[in-house]
Amino acid sequence: MKERLTQSLEQRLQLRLSPMQMRLVRMLEMTEPEIEEEVRQELDDNPALEVVDAPASDEMAEEGFDESAEEMQMADYRDEDDIPHYRLEANNRSADDTRFEPVAVAAGESLMESLMAQLAETDLDSRQLEIAAYIVGNIDDNGYLTRTLPQLEDDIAIDAGIETDMDELKGILARIRSLDPAGVGAFDLRDCLALQLKRLPDSQAVRTAREIVDNYFDLFSLRHFDRLASTLGVSREELKEADDVIRSLDPKPASKFGESDADDRARHIIPDFYVEVDQNERIVVSMPNNVPELAIERSFDLDDADMQVHAREGEQSRQKGEAMTFIARKRQEAADFIELLRMRRTTLMSVMEAIARWQRAFFTSEDESRLRPMVLKDIAAATGLDISVVSRATAGKYVATQGGVYPLKFFFNERVSEDEDASSREILSALRALIEEEDPASPLSDEALTSRLTGQGYNIARRTVAKYRERLGLPVARLRKKI
């Protein structure tokens, strides 16, 4: 076979992100606390970066303001009696020693800690307490037992090496089910409600509620009140009183034993933007200024002439050359980081201002139904940014308004259909209003809700109404029925 060489001309378009662009993309996704941590980390890693000290005011200069940080912290206390004892102790330590100051953290008690503390006050011996601890460890965050007794018997024998029998397990479980909160250790919802009803003071309504939960829970769950009243031989009023008793019970008795207060504080939202509306309905968008102003450290701020001089010196000394290379690299990294922070802030402000303009009706009224249909493409067109940039700039970000704190994703909602100008938020608000105003004894079906919404000018299908109803967390008409 003959071999031959061929040439072909091909045109290809490729997009490659520079390292600086990739870092900007990552920084756009950061929230305000995350970017503050990024700045602190960069200040630690790069000696060419420094914080610009705010100039002291003339008044402070005249008064000779020279308070130390310790003195400023002490001034925060109302009087000497409020100052913690550890702040009055002498700090006779060397500069190399590490000093830890106590931090007050309010830790919440877990469900297992609460139950085991109550069991410790009973007459159970150490072996039975160990079995009880194993049972308690199989209770979920809502208070329900996740394993059956035969399964627990096998698990305790295999994992803990303790031989027990069904009678002993039932006795220890009965002790656990008698603890607070009422309903803990239940196998299912019916069992949980029955445990709570046993602790209520006896009355006719409570007795009826117990009979419903014990024998007719299926009828009650399906809201067949007529059949239930006929079967029990009670009036509608008596059935309503029993229904009120059951509704007052907690279906998740252990839910209050969630995370600790410290974890709860860690979940507090720190807004990335603030939107204010003045008396003239002018919208003002701002960002928190928690990131300090940065600059290149003076010893690293060399001009090109200095660099050339040092470079010639570096030819005579390899160490000097390496030092100048290090200085130039760190200076460039510092300059790039300062520019990245500026670009990030400019991009985020541009996106938030575009959202505020687009959703002006909402920000001036705080009325959710006035949200306009808006998608990422709309903000990208308004700002001239790419859709992916807008997506990253809005991910995980929150804005504080006069009416509350909202995630930026809250403002994005599509049109229900091409020929419908109303947003999904507006229709959700109208749907919620219809359900709130319906007759509890005869709730509106999805077909009736669709008809009502059509009468209000919303041309949507029944399946869309069902989807929106589920999004609101509302059950079907049969389960919304009340006595």
Side-chain angles (χ1 to χ4, degrees):
M1 296 180 62
K2 293 183 178 181
E3 295 182 359
R4 58 179 181 176
L5 298 176
T6 60
Q7 286 185 334
S8 61
L9 185 63
E10 181 181 358
Q11 193 173 30
R12 182 181 301 172
L13 181 64
Q14 289 183 331
L15 177 64
R16 293 183 179 179
L17 295 177
S18 66
M20 190 170 179
Q21 289 174 320
M22 294 178 64
R23 192 173 185 186
L24 175 62
V25 167
R26 185 176 67 85
M27 289 175 66
L28 281 175
E29 296 177 336
M30 293 182 180
T31 60
E32 189 66 20
E34 290 172 342
I35 200 65
E36 292 173 22
E37 180 61 31
E38 182 76 5
V39 170
R40 284 193 290 267
Q41 184 67 37
E42 192 70 19
L43 284 169
D44 291 339
D45 295 343
N46 193 343
L49 204 61
E50 69 173 358
V51 176
V52 177
D53 295 330
S57 64
D58 296 337
E59 294 181 0
M60 289 182 177
E62 292 176 2
E63 296 175 2
F65 180 79
D66 57 354
E67 274 191 304
S68 65
E70 181 68 16
E71 291 172 339
M72 293 177 65
Q73 290 179 357
M74 298 285 278
D76 291 337
Y77 298 99
R78 185 172 52 187
D79 52 47
E80 292 185 359
D81 294 335
D82 292 338
I83 300 176
H85 67 86
Y86 61 85
R87 290 206 176 275
L88 299 176
E89 295 174 354
N91 185 13
N92 297 325
R93 299 171 183 266
S94 67
D96 297 331
D97 286 347
T98 301
R99 176 174 173 81
F100 297 96
E101 293 191 353
V103 177
V105 177
E109 187 179 38
S110 68
L111 174 65
M112 186 167 187
E113 291 171 342
S114 175
L115 295 179
M116 293 308 300
Q118 296 177 66
L119 287 171
E121 299 177 0
T122 63
D123 57 354
L124 296 179
D125 57 31
S126 58
R127 175 180 172 278
Q128 292 173 325
L129 283 175
E130 191 172 354
I131 296 174
Y134 198 94
I135 297 175
V136 169
N138 284 276
I139 295 177
D140 63 19
D141 294 337
N142 294 324
Y144 293 92
L145 195 61
T146 58
R147 305 281 284 175
T148 63
L149 287 178
Q151 290 172 333
L152 286 172
E153 183 181 9
D154 295 338
D155 293 343
I156 293 172
I158 295 173
D159 297 339
I162 300 176
E163 294 294 334
T164 183
D165 55 34
M166 195 60 61
D167 291 336
E168 185 178 26
L169 274 180
K170 289 180 179 179
I172 296 175
L173 179 59
R175 288 291 187 93
I176 295 173
R177 288 157 64 95
S178 67
L179 302 176
D180 291 328
V184 71
F187 293 102
D188 51 31
L189 177 59
R190 189 206 63 78
D191 189 27
C192 178
L193 299 179
L195 287 174
Q196 296 179 57
L197 286 171
K198 288 179 181 178
R199 301 200 192 180
L200 295 181
D202 189 53
S203 67
Q204 181 58 45
V206 171
R207 287 195 294 271
T208 304
R210 289 172 184 164
E211 188 174 359
I212 291 173
V213 171
D214 291 339
N215 304 316
Y216 305 103
F217 193 65
D218 290 340
L219 281 178
F220 178 79
S221 301
L222 296 174
R223 318 304 286 169
H224 292 166
F225 294 120
D226 292 334
R227 290 178 55 189
L228 197 56
S230 175
T231 303
L232 293 171
V234 297
S235 65
R236 297 279 293 187
E237 286 300 322
E238 291 174 325
L239 185 61
K240 184 179 185 305
E241 291 176 359
D243 179 61
D244 292 339
V245 170
I246 297 175
R247 285 178 175 274
S248 68
L249 305 177
D250 189 356
K252 299 178 180 180
S255 58
K256 65 179 180 180
F257 293 93
E259 299 169 338
S260 67
D261 295 338
D263 294 331
D264 185 62
R265 288 197 300 273
R267 294 199 312 268
H268 285 181
I269 295 172
I270 299 178
D272 301 271
F273 306 95
Y274 294 93
V275 173
E276 298 177 343
V277 181
D278 60 17
Q279 296 179 349
N280 300 322
E281 293 193 349
R282 186 172 63 93
I283 297 177
V284 179
V285 178
S286 61
M287 290 181 65
N289 194 20
N290 297 328
V291 176
E293 183 180 353
L294 303 179
I296 297 176
E297 205 273 332
R298 186 174 301 175
S299 61
F300 284 79
D301 194 11
L302 304 176
D303 56 25
D304 293 337
D306 293 334
M307 292 295 294
Q308 292 175 4
V309 171
H310 288 292
R312 286 194 296 270
E313 294 177 355
E315 295 173 358
Q316 301 173 1
S317 172
R318 182 176 60 84
Q319 292 182 349
K320 287 185 178 180
E322 291 177 353
M324 293 314 303
T325 301
F326 173 81
I327 291 174
R329 177 167 56 84
K330 289 299 181 181
R331 184 186 67 171
Q332 186 60 48
E333 290 177 359
D336 289 345
F337 187 75
I338 294 173
E339 178 63 15
L340 284 171
L341 287 177
R342 186 195 65 79
M343 294 171 63
R344 174 186 181 273
R345 189 175 183 88
T346 302
T347 302
L348 292 181
M349 280 293 293
S350 176
V351 170
M352 188 63 239
E353 288 173 348
I355 293 175
R357 288 193 300 269
W358 194 278
Q359 302 292 4
R360 176 182 176 81
F362 170 81
F363 285 109
T364 55
S365 65
E366 296 289 342
D367 185 357
E368 184 177 329
S369 64
R370 300 191 66 182
L371 281 171
R372 295 174 55 195
M374 184 182 77
V375 293
L376 292 173
K377 183 173 65 175
D378 297 326
I379 301 304
T383 58
L385 299 171
D386 190 81
I387 293 180
S388 62
V389 174
V390 176
S391 176
R392 288 182 170 89
T394 55
K397 307 294 192 307
Y398 290 82
V399 56
T401 70
Q402 297 172 349
V405 179
Y406 302 90
L408 292 193
K409 293 298 184 182
F410 168 81
F411 302 102
F412 291 90
N413 55 101
E414 297 183 357
R415 287 179 172 82
V416 180
S417 60
E418 293 295 332
D419 57 347
E420 181 64 59
D421 193 41
S423 68
S424 58
R425 297 283 183 184
E426 182 179 347
I427 296 177
L428 282 170
S429 179
L431 180 60
R432 184 188 294 109
L434 286 175
I435 294 177
E436 289 176 351
E437 296 170 359
E438 69 183 0
D439 181 7
S442 180
L444 298 172
S445 64
D446 289 344
E447 290 81 359
L449 290 170
T450 304
S451 177
R452 297 282 184 92
L453 289 172
T454 302
Q456 294 181 8
Y458 302 115
N459 187 21
I460 57 176
R462 187 201 61 80
R463 62 179 179 273
T464 306
V465 171
K467 181 180 70 173
Y468 284 1
R469 175 182 51 72
E470 292 172 357
R471 187 185 299 182
L472 291 172
L474 298 172
V476 295
R478 172 173 53 81
L479 298 181
R480 297 199 308 272
K481 185 177 181 181
K482 296 180 182 179
I483 302 175

